[in-house]
Amino acid sequence: GAGVSQSPRYKVAKRGQDVALRCDPISGHVSLFWYQQALGQGPEFLTYFQNEAQLDKSGLPSDRFFAERPEGSVSTLKIQRTQQEDSAVYLCASSLRDTSYNEQFFGPGTRLTVL
Amino acid sequence: GNSVTQMEGPVTLSEEAFLTINCTYTATGYPSLFWYVQYPGEGLQLLLKATKADDKGSNKGFEATYRKETTSFHLEKGSVQVSDSAVYFCALNHAGNQFYFGTGTSLTVIP
């Protein structure tokens, strides 16, 4: 079956531009997560949805970052007025349920480069 | 709080060598523990997991045992292959709402 997909795979933005990153989770997965992975580091949590409800956004680094999942399926991570420090790979993951033993299925990521 | 400390790399081994990648964790309560692998150019894939103390996760010849007394989840493989070259991430999930990852260990296996 189809896995988690993300688009675009690569995005180059000039500093100050707004960007939108899309995630299509596995069909039927209740939970959706966004992570940021800097070069040579492990993924770091940004935010989490259960269906359409954003239950945790404690990892969002600033108010320039905004995520939504209006119909409980596709999610968009938006970054306003991008800065060079936003350059990273943004990973989306989905999980059937939000229990600790459920694995998260990861998409291939969007590599954002801010010039 | 929750955190994972993982052996730093890079690690280079000859084919058929024994592999150990150390992972220790700090968590409140009883987390589930995972190893994810990232092959070149690909996304993160689950390698194995263990959900309670003394559980052993295994897959593709890799094993890891959940040791509560030492708060560890070391990854081992008896005989590595070139195809095992990848970056390995140890992770924990405590309450189901996020994973905490280690920094990753890059493994290169040479023929």
Side-chain angles (χ1 to χ4, degrees):
Chain A
V4 178
S5 61
Q6 293 185 245
S7 61
R9 291 293 309 278
Y10 303 91
K11 177 69 179 176
V12 178
K14 292 183 179 178
R15 191 172 54 185
Q17 283 185 331
D18 298 348
V19 298
L21 312 180
R22 177 187 169 104
C23 172
D24 285 81
I26 294 173
S27 178
H29 278 197
V30 168
S31 302
L32 185 144
F33 306 81
W34 283 99
Y35 293 85
Q36 180 189 60
Q37 186 176 16
L39 189 64
Q41 299 297 314
E44 292 197 359
F45 172 79
L46 293 176
T47 187
Y48 153 63
F49 291 85
Q50 185 182 82
N51 295 308
E52 69 279 3
Q54 189 174 21
L55 298 187
D56 187 348
K57 53 182 181 179
S58 62
L60 296 176
S62 78
D63 59 7
R64 297 186 295 104
F65 287 71
F66 172 76
E68 60 183 6
R69 192 187 186 197
E71 298 179 356
S73 178
V74 171
S75 177
T76 304
L77 176 67
K78 298 179 180 178
I79 309 173
Q80 297 177 325
R81 304 181 302 282
T82 52
Q83 304 295 313
Q84 285 189 322
E85 61 264 28
D86 300 334
S87 296
V89 175
Y90 290 86
L91 298 172
C92 176
S94 70
S95 176
L96 188 60
R97 289 181 184 81
D98 55 350
T99 54
S100 64
Y101 52 84
N102 279 125
E103 72 172 285
Q104 293 184 8
F105 294 83
F106 283 81
T110 295
R111 182 178 297 276
L112 173 65
T113 303
V114 181
L115 302 177
Chain B
N2 298 310
S3 67
V4 173
T5 302
Q6 190 174 337
M7 184 174 105
E8 290 192 15
V11 174
T12 302
L13 295 173
S14 297
E15 205 165 23
E16 299 184 2
F18 183 86
L19 169 71
T20 300
I21 300 178
N22 289 338
C23 172
T24 57
Y25 68 90
T26 301
T28 54
Y30 303 96
S32 294
L33 301 174
F34 301 77
W35 278 99
Y36 274 81
V37 59
Q38 190 169 33
Y39 297 104
E42 298 184 15
L44 286 165
Q45 303 174 25
L46 178 68
L47 180 59
L48 53 83
K49 70 177 184 181
T51 59
K52 61 183 187 295
D54 299 325
D55 267 3
K56 177 186 284 187
S58 61
N59 186 25
K60 299 182 181 180
F62 291 88
E63 293 183 340
T65 301
Y66 188 162
R67 301 286 189 201
K68 188 172 184 297
E69 63 275 14
T70 54
T71 62
S72 65
F73 193 53
H74 305 321
L75 182 68
E76 297 183 335
K77 187 174 185 182
S79 176
V80 293
Q81 306 300 313
V82 172
S83 58
D84 294 327
S85 298
V87 181
Y88 293 82
F89 293 92
C90 184
L92 73 83
N93 187 324
H94 173 52
N97 60 353
Q98 64 169 284
F99 272 45
Y100 295 84
F101 285 89
T103 54
T105 301
S106 175
L107 170 67
T108 301
V109 181
I110 55 177

